[in-house]
Amino acid sequence: MGKFKKILSVAAACSMFGASLLTFAGCSEQEDVITLRVCNWEEYIDLGGWNEEERISLDSGDIFGENAVYDDFTEWFNDGDFGFKVKVEYSTFGTNEDLYNRLSLGDVYDLVCPSDYMIMKLIAENKVEEYSEDFMTNGEYANNVSPYIDSIFKENDWDKYAACYMWGTTGIVYNPDKIENVADVSSWNILLNENYKRQVTIKDNVRDAYFAALGILNSDRLTAPQYDRSDLSDLMNGTDSETIAKAENILKKIKDNVYSFETDSGKADMVTGKVIANYQWSGDAITILDGADADGTKLWYSVPDECANLWFDGWVMLKSGIDGNEKKRAAAEAFVNFLSRPDNAIRNMYYIGYTSAIAGETVFEYLDWNYGADEDVETIDYDVNYFFKKDGQDGKFIICADANDFEIDEETGEITGNRGRQLFAQYPPESVKDRSVVMRDFEDKLTEINQMWINVRCLDVKDISPTTIGIICGAVGLIAIASVLYGFRYRLFIKNKPKKGFEKTEEE
């Protein structure tokens, strides 16, 4: 019996030891799961749920979005040989300022996707981690990013800190049947054109509005035949006090002329015909044109002759989130590389309508699948080599496009580079690229420019006419007099008011 007890004791000890090993193994496994906190723009990634009819069939293979991209990334990563597992916490923000305020209040993210100027601000404030040398020289992003986009990031020293996600231009979406002269949409001055009073909208944010104002301010210079654009960037990023004051005056005039300042309502207003022209980002312009096509209306997109804002949204790793954790860095870089695979870049473009920074033959094949001309229409060669062609490649990235989707020079038969439809908005010709500039961060001028914007968007007493001030003062005076009369109504108008606690009676 004693021997049996010893056996039981040994068995129990082994069981406890085994359980302990399992517990420690579980802890070890739990520690090997890294949570990657990703914050992106709202509706700015493929969330899956495609119908079978939405399947994209290319020669290189079918592309289909069944699950959200970040869920597919999680599955792909955890099936790989990274040495640890990952869990993605995906959240969204509405504006760059919204994201920045969250960070200022203590929210922690590992990977975020702000716009160009916010990337500059975060870099200047030393809040961004550098990408690894391996990421910048190998992997999906390094191998697939457009040489055009890559050159811009390297010229500005952003490539160490940011990986471009989407890019585009700014311009004017318009209804050609409602415009008196197509030349009117070739200039930012359409925002001041009284022929379209209360029929045009402008963006309700200080940066886009300020850019348009500078386009108007410098219009004569920018459209002069002899202008060589060598100082275009400095001109369109002018923030001296005199320029800010002039921009404020222009924006106040614009405010009196446009239908509204808007953030998102312009898309619906254009499709429904409430307005006939809308200052817009190229990605949303494509959505508007697609929606109008579905309703049987053919809208166009114009990039003003003066200039366009070349904008970017890019992925940056935050020091507050990565915090020196090499596994988090590896997971964040893997996430960006996963999005930079051509098939995933196409999924995101197809889902949100914006233009990916990813190039290559597969993306070009998708572009041709999406916009290539039918055989029964007049066609024109549309050259996008500047975006797709890498050094040493032949110039083969030319789409046979529908000539009816572009403004064609009657004498030369070539695209003029000013107006077009969806393909023009998504991949602008080189002539548009050459007159586009990136808006820099306002830096120490931010407070002054924000005050200018408050003066424009809020009621400014200096802008009220003397007649209106007189009417307002008169009304205030009458209200004051009426209040005094009401307070003394018994003494002035009612005789023999009874004392408190007594009632007035009629004498016999």
Side-chain angles (χ1 to χ4, degrees), residues 295-312:
D295 286 349
T297 303
K298 193 172 183 179
L299 302 180
W300 282 55
Y301 179 71
S302 172
V303 175
D305 287 335
E306 295 93 354
C307 56
N309 175 19
L310 189 66
W311 58 262
F312 304 96

Side-chain angles (χ1 to χ4, degrees), residues 120-129 161 319-320:
M120 297 179 216
K121 184 178 179 67
L122 292 173
I123 292 174
E125 294 177 355
N126 197 30
K127 293 180 178 179
V128 178
E129 284 276 356
Y161 306 97
K319 287 185 176 181
S320 58

Side-chain angles (χ1 to χ4, degrees), residues 44-102:
Y44 215 44
I45 199 169
D46 175 26
L47 297 177
W50 293 21
N51 297 320
E52 186 60 37
E53 295 77 19
E54 295 174 310
R55 183 182 295 271
I56 300 171
S57 296
L58 306 177
D59 291 340
S60 54
D62 287 358
I63 296 175
F64 186 73
E66 183 176 359
N67 307 309
V69 169
Y70 48 81
D71 288 334
D72 285 342
F73 162 76
T74 303
E75 182 180 355
W76 167 81
F77 188 97
N78 291 340
D79 286 343
D81 56 357
F82 290 91
F84 63 96
K85 305 296 184 182
V86 71
K87 169 186 168 186
V88 176
E89 288 185 359
Y90 187 85
S91 57
T92 61
F93 59 89
T95 67
N96 287 292
E97 287 67 31
D98 174 28
L99 172 63
Y100 188 81
N101 288 338
R102 291 193 205 176

